[in-house]
Amino acid sequence: MSERVYLDYNATAPLRPEARAAVMAALSLCGNPSSVHADGRSARRLLEDARGKVARLLGAEAAAVVFTGSASEANNLALRGTSAAEVLVSEIEHDSVLQAVPGAKRLPVLGDGTLDLAALAKALEGREAPFLVSVMWANNETGVVQPIAEVGDRVRAAGGLFHCDAVQAAGKLPIDMTELAVDMLTLSAHKMGGPAGVGALVLRPGLDLRPLLRGGGQERGRRAGTENLAGIAGFGAVAESHEDLLGRFNEVAKLRDALEERLLAEDAGVTIYGKKAARLGNCCCFGTSGLKAETMVMALDLAGIAVSAGSACSSGKVGPSHVLRAMGVPEEEAAGAIRVSLGPASISQDLERFLEAWLAVCRRRQVA
Ligand code: PLP
């Protein structure tokens, strides 16, 4: 039996060796970072060291980083922790943004998956502060990258707060918070090769935030609860190696482009979603005419290859994709979309194995 091929990095990335080492080292420490004794102070040093590393990833101040239990929690904190009376979110956000404020106004996207800037301008016209706009940096299903700098400028000019979910962009694209009109930015460790169960909300200096979790002064009173020191140490370790991650992404993009060329060259009725827009170099969301995503994901799994259905939600069920729907893709067609997402360890042989298995499913479809 040949080794499994992992092509689902947008769901989670394998733990990187430096993260594993940092987690293991932190697990062998005993001390609560809030304790004043020497053991507590050692734990505190580790915590603050990791905070500095995560801050440097974004060009932010260490004090701006609030560690959370996930990016989903960070998104909830951002959307519910400010004094904004109104919230506007793009239609293609992760569920943790869409469901944090159920009554939020939805901003549409164009057919290529990018935010409709004309609709944003209209929504901002005459709007009274305080309000908050949340638009993700890059979409988890399609990889489409949003015009974040422009969105931030427009929101700030209109007097609003701007939150950006940068979970899929971190480690794949350079991020410098000092160059953006962004007030809050969300990260997740496990999408970058760190451990799961750690996220961060990074704040513009001076921004005031109400905690969601109360009952402790941790994280400068912005998130109660003893910090997940081992997870945070692992997060710090991957943040520190982000330049290495970024460097490898050019190679990853070449592999993805070669894969797409091969998919399109086959006479299989392939549609690649978001292809006309700027996209993350690691992601390909596509449908094959006449094939359901579940069938494809299961057949690939049996062949030892891990990918996601374009519309798989956190419960593992496949439902209609709100992202593809927002892009105007008919529901029946969207039900065929699968997401192949590569990472720094992906190699061309992985894609050969993928193509071989995909072609085998396509051939069976022709016979049926
Ligand atoms: N935001 C985006 C864009 C994501 O892709 C995900 C995870 O899929 C999340 C937020 C949630 O991340 P976490 O698993 O850390 O809660």
Side-chain angles (χ1 to χ4, degrees), residues 245-256:
L245 284 175
L246 289 178
R248 289 190 204 190
F249 252 80
N250 290 335
E251 289 310 307
V252 171
K254 283 187 202 152
L255 288 177
R256 190 279 310 270

Side-chain angles (χ1 to χ4, degrees), residues 176-306:
D176 186 346
M177 277 182 82
T178 61
E179 288 181 352
L180 293 169
V182 65
D183 297 287
M184 296 177 282
L185 190 137
T186 294
L187 298 177
S188 179
H190 74 106
K191 307 285 181 177
M192 300 174 64
V198 199
L201 186 66
V202 187
L203 309 176
R204 162 179 61 77
L207 186 79
D208 212 18
L209 205 64
R210 274 192 318 270
L212 284 186
L213 300 181
R214 295 155 199 263
Q218 292 90 350
E219 298 299 293
R220 295 183 169 77
R222 295 176 294 206
R223 200 260 187 189
T226 302
E227 297 87 349
N228 168 7
L229 194 57
I232 290 171
F235 193 1
V238 282
E240 196 174 27
S241 53
H242 76 278
E243 296 209 344
D244 176 40
L245 284 175
L246 289 178
R248 289 190 204 190
F249 252 80
N250 290 335
E251 289 310 307
V252 171
K254 283 187 202 152
L255 288 177
R256 190 279 310 270
D257 291 347
L259 167 72
E260 292 193 344
E261 249 177 63
R262 298 270 298 277
L263 288 171
L264 293 170
E266 295 295 334
D267 187 19
V270 164
T271 307
I272 299 174
Y273 300 107
K275 190 161 169 59
K276 292 198 182 114
R279 274 180 309 156
L280 293 174
N282 77 313
C283 183
C284 170
C285 177
F286 77 96
T288 313
S289 87
L291 276 176
K292 288 256 173 274
E294 294 104 299
T295 314
M296 187 60 90
V297 170
M298 278 191 280
L300 290 168
D301 188 34
L302 286 174
I305 301 162

Side-chain angles (χ1 to χ4, degrees), residues 10 70-72 75 94 96 136 140 165 167-168 188 190-191:
N10 283 13
S70 62
S72 299
N75 282 341
H94 186 262
S96 56
M136 68 199 329
N140 42 306
D165 174 346
V167 162
Q168 294 292 345
S188 179
H190 74 106
K191 307 285 181 177

Side-chain angles (χ1 to χ4, degrees), residues 29-359:
L29 250 178
C30 173
N32 185 326
S34 301
S35 300
V36 293
H37 47 63
D39 307 84
R41 291 199 306 276
S42 298
R44 162 74 49 194
R45 268 197 299 281
L46 197 65
L47 176 66
E48 297 311 326
D49 179 60
R51 197 187 304 283
K53 288 172 179 167
V54 171
R56 279 195 289 284
L57 164 72
L58 311 166
E61 294 291 317
V65 176
V66 182
F67 285 119
T68 60
S70 62
S72 299
E73 183 193 328
N75 282 341
N76 273 270
L77 179 60
L79 267 76
R80 292 160 59 189
T82 73
S83 54
E86 278 181 294
V87 177
L88 295 82
V89 302
S90 93
E91 278 185 314
I92 58 164
E93 295 301 309
H94 186 262
D95 271 346
S96 56
V97 167
L98 292 177
Q99 292 184 27
V101 179
K105 180 179 167 56
R106 302 281 172 103
L107 299 166
V109 296
L110 302 171
D112 67 358
T114 57
L115 190 74
D116 182 341
L117 290 171
L120 172 69
K122 205 157 167 235
L124 294 180
E125 235 171 53
R127 195 164 279 278
E128 296 284 322
F131 65 91
L132 168 73
V133 175
S134 180
V135 177
M136 68 199 329
W137 198 305
N139 184 262
N140 42 306
E141 289 185 31
T142 60
V144 170
V145 174
Q146 300 300 327
I148 287 308
E150 184 159 2
V151 175
D153 288 343
R154 288 186 186 208
V155 172
R156 186 158 291 175
L161 291 171
F162 177 44
H163 165 252
C164 178
D165 174 346
V167 162
Q168 294 292 345
K172 298 172 187 154
L173 299 173
I175 301 180
D176 186 346
M177 277 182 82
T178 61
E179 288 181 352
L180 293 169
V182 65
D183 297 287
M184 296 177 282
L185 190 137
T186 294
L187 298 177
S188 179
H190 74 106
K191 307 285 181 177
M192 300 174 64
V198 199
L201 186 66
V202 187
L203 309 176
R204 162 179 61 77
L207 186 79
D208 212 18
L209 205 64
R210 274 192 318 270
L212 284 186
L213 300 181
R214 295 155 199 263
Q218 292 90 350
E219 298 299 293
R220 295 183 169 77
R222 295 176 294 206
R223 200 260 187 189
T226 302
E227 297 87 349
N228 168 7
L229 194 57
I232 290 171
F235 193 1
V238 282
E240 196 174 27
S241 53
H242 76 278
E243 296 209 344
D244 176 40
L245 284 175
L246 289 178
R248 289 190 204 190
F249 252 80
N250 290 335
E251 289 310 307
V252 171
K254 283 187 202 152
L255 288 177
R256 190 279 310 270
D257 291 347
L259 167 72
E260 292 193 344
E261 249 177 63
R262 298 270 298 277
L263 288 171
L264 293 170
E266 295 295 334
D267 187 19
V270 164
T271 307
I272 299 174
Y273 300 107
K275 190 161 169 59
K276 292 198 182 114
R279 274 180 309 156
L280 293 174
N282 77 313
C283 183
C284 170
C285 177
F286 77 96
T288 313
S289 87
L291 276 176
K292 288 256 173 274
E294 294 104 299
T295 314
M296 187 60 90
V297 170
M298 278 191 280
L300 290 168
D301 188 34
L302 286 174
I305 301 162
V307 302
S308 275
S311 49
C313 71
S314 48
S315 64
K317 287 201 194 106
V318 179
S321 159
H322 68 282
V323 175
L324 296 180
R325 188 191 306 132
M327 290 165 66
V329 179
E331 209 150 287
E332 203 169 310
E333 185 188 325
I338 64 167
R339 177 187 70 190
V340 179
S341 51
L342 289 65
S346 301
I347 51 174
S348 59
Q349 286 89 329
D350 295 341
L351 301 178
E352 290 305 325
R353 286 261 312 274
F354 170 80
L355 281 162
E356 201 181 298
W358 171 73
L359 273 170

